[in-house]
Amino acid sequence: MGGGTGGGLLVAGTTSDAGKSVVTAGICRWLVRQGVKVAPFKAQNMSLNSFVTREGAEIGRAQAMQAQAARVEPTALMNPVLLKPGSDRSSQVVLMGKPVGEMSARGYHGGRQEQLLGTVLECLAELRGTYDAVICEGAGSPAEINLRRTDIVNMGIARNARLPVLVVGDIDRGGVFASFFGTVALLSPEDQEFVAGFLVNKFRGDVSLLEPGLDMLENLTGRRTYGVLPFQHGLGIDEEDGLRVSLRGSVRESEVSSPVGEDILRVAVCAIPLMSNFTDVDALAAEPGVVVRFVDRAEELVDADLVVVPGTRGTVRALEWLRERGLADALARRAAQGRPVLGICGGFQILGEHIEDEVESRAGQVDGLGLLPLRVRFAREKTLTRPVGEALGEPVEGYEIHHGVAQVTGGEPFLDGCRVGEVWGTHWHGSLESDGFRRAFLREVAAAAGRRFVPAADTSFGSLREEQLDRLGDLIEEHADTDALWRLIESGAPTGLPFIPPGAPA
């Protein structure tokens, strides 16, 4: 495929969770396999799942995953604005990888967002000047008419950067034709000029039964459908929103392979409020014979071989929640019985003795669960690092994203945290993606739990992730009109697209 310079595409959606992130990743992987130098971009991301780039910038994990799909190193340019919810009404604003303060939704949409448009466009222009193509991801729906005036992530950026827009709809939810039509019909004539067409996601069944509807949609809107992607399990990788994770069932619809040993290993993840970087447990779910589930009741910890207390954007609030639901007492009983508990980042802080927080919750001095010998003081400056080390005789890599500074006063050292008996704690996210360390850790857990579980000797999380990304690329290559997609990326939206009334309200 030829490489035009600075081509681009915006992948929008009829709703949140329509599949924009994975479609963007799939297009990136398809393009890079064709020899195109491609990068992902999302102007503004709202997510509690984030990642630290090599230069120490915090960006959404979805953009880091898309960069991996594109086989490029993720940078802050790819996600210049990251919003990390701290409540239903306010978020921490991370600009170019660094936190710049908390802001209410009203304050952000009331003026701050518009001020960031210049920064966002500069980042996109820099990427387009470096890469043959930039595949941008929108947010929510472009037809959120109440937010259009301040929009910098959907049609606001499409019009300013003259990007063709591909609208993705999740047909598994139903109502996809109405969603496609309504999305276009609620946009202004100027916005509609950039909406090139549609992509159906998560289709089950015989495509020939869908085709008459796609023809009708094209007759109604003057816009074609660029592909129908079939439903596939296990492709919800590095999702953006920990608030929407299901409390029931295993992670990412993952299918548990048969164990290598005689027993399976059960992992319960406490679904604490404002749960962040729940992607940490994906590497556990990838192990044959490991069953991972999210739980919110104390009795669900009883049969667990390992309990994980994950990261959170609200450490003190999560601590209160654990106490209110009886999970704190259940964790204390586990520790007393020598049954494994792992705390990661905010979960690590919760397991300590004392928390001094004048930054996140402004709650002041708060008692932790007292299961690990550490005191935590919240600093205004956020720690953003990519540490490398060793644990259980194996090399480990990770990344740190936290305001809490831990003073460890005892126990055995463990990934800059500590271990007491079978209670482990660390600030390191992503450590379980290090294969040798993960296997060694699971062997320890199985021994403490009395399970005849044996980690598979050949599970490579990195290889599994690459296989997933290749499956996304295959979906685009096999089920989308790739020639037409490339023309969009290279040349922009077709001219003469009809206006669909009524358009945006005045």
Side-chain angles (χ1 to χ4, degrees), residues 441-459:
F441 176 68
L442 289 176
R443 281 192 289 270
E444 294 253 354
V445 167
R451 297 288 184 192
R452 289 170 295 185
F453 169 84
V454 178
D458 57 352
T459 301

Side-chain angles (χ1 to χ4, degrees), residues 490-506:
E490 198 172 35
S491 306
T495 57
L497 293 169
F499 169 67
I500 307 303

Side-chain angles (χ1 to χ4, degrees), residues 59-340:
I59 66 171
R61 265 201 75 106
Q63 279 60 66
M65 175 269 290
Q66 291 160 357
Q68 186 177 348
R71 296 180 181 148
V72 295
E73 190 66 35
T75 73
L77 291 172
M78 297 172 185
N79 179 207
V81 182
L82 173 64
L83 305 178
K84 302 192 74 175
S87 71
D88 289 341
R89 296 192 173 186
S90 69
S91 295
Q92 182 181 63
V93 181
V94 179
L95 179 60
M96 295 304 293
K98 304 295 179 186
V100 294
E102 295 280 332
M103 186 165 287
S104 69
R106 180 175 292 275
Y108 184 69
H109 290 288
R112 177 63 168 157
Q113 188 177 32
E114 284 179 287
Q115 296 167 11
L116 296 174
L117 179 60
T119 300
V120 162
L121 290 172
E122 286 170 11
C123 291
L124 177 56
E126 187 169 340
L127 288 173
R128 293 180 82 180
T130 307
Y131 292 89
D132 297 333
V134 179
I135 308 303
C136 307
E137 180 188 342
S141 160
E144 287 164 354
I145 52 180
N146 55 314
L147 301 177
R148 175 62 185 91
R149 183 179 61 81
T150 57
D151 170 46
I152 64 169
V153 65
N154 290 308
M155 300 313 299
I157 195 165
R159 274 178 60 185
N160 274 281
R162 305 198 65 77
L163 294 171
V165 178
L166 186 68
V167 180
V168 177
D170 179 354
I171 197 169
D172 198 45
R173 293 181 172 190
V176 75
F177 292 118
S179 299
F180 282 146
F181 183 87
T183 296
V184 180
L186 280 176
L187 300 178
S188 69
E190 295 81 7
D191 283 352
Q192 287 192 24
E193 287 178 18
F194 292 90
V195 179
F198 312 106
L199 186 76
V200 176
N201 193 27
K202 297 185 184 178
F203 179 72
R204 306 174 193 247
D206 184 347
V207 176
S208 67
L209 298 176
L210 185 67
E211 285 169 352
L214 301 179
D215 292 340
M216 294 177 201
L217 181 68
E218 184 170 359
N219 289 335
L220 286 166
T221 66
R223 290 156 176 87
R224 57 166 299 183
T225 297
Y226 284 78
V228 177
L229 308 185
F231 187 98
Q232 287 199 8
H233 281 282
L235 289 180
I237 49 181
D238 286 351
E239 291 168 0
E240 294 187 340
D241 197 346
L243 302 176
R244 281 200 302 269
V245 69
S246 170
L247 298 184
R248 305 284 168 245
S250 55
V251 183
R252 302 296 180 284
E253 305 170 337
S254 57
E255 297 176 6
V256 179
S257 304
S258 300
V260 176
E262 295 179 45
D263 289 344
I264 64 169
L265 209 62
R266 297 172 177 84
V267 178
V269 184
C270 296
I272 54 182
L274 297 175
M275 181 168 48
S276 62
N277 285 62
F278 65 89
T279 48
D280 282 332
V281 297
D282 282 1
L284 295 178
E287 282 286 346
V290 176
V291 180
V292 177
R293 66 184 190 273
F294 290 90
V295 304
D296 60 351
R297 295 194 297 257
E299 56 267 32
E300 293 178 292
L301 303 190
V302 175
D303 69 341
D305 302 308
L306 168 67
V307 173
V308 177
V309 187
T312 172
R313 252 280 282 154
T315 300
V316 171
R317 178 176 164 188
L319 187 54
E320 293 170 352
W321 182 87
L322 289 168
R323 287 185 168 126
E324 288 167 2
R325 302 185 74 90
L327 288 157
D329 290 339
L331 288 167
R333 286 194 295 272
R334 286 187 68 89
Q337 295 163 358
R339 303 178 68 201

Side-chain angles (χ1 to χ4, degrees), residues 309-316 318-319 322-323 342-357 360 366-379 383 400-407 417-418 424-429:
V309 187
T312 172
R313 252 280 282 154
T315 300
V316 171
L319 187 54
L322 289 168
R323 287 185 168 126
L342 171 64
I344 302 173
C345 199
F348 169 46
Q349 297 166 8
I350 285 168
L351 298 180
E353 297 165 346
H354 296 288
I355 296 169
E356 182 185 338
D357 181 10
E360 193 174 75
V366 177
D367 288 334
L369 299 186
L371 305 184
L372 288 176
L374 71 134
R375 294 170 176 265
V376 176
R377 178 184 57 81
F378 273 68
T383 297
E400 295 187 49
I401 305 169
H402 53 92
H403 284 281
V405 178
Q407 180 188 0
C418 62
W424 316 63
T426 176
H427 271 134
W428 291 25
H429 293 291

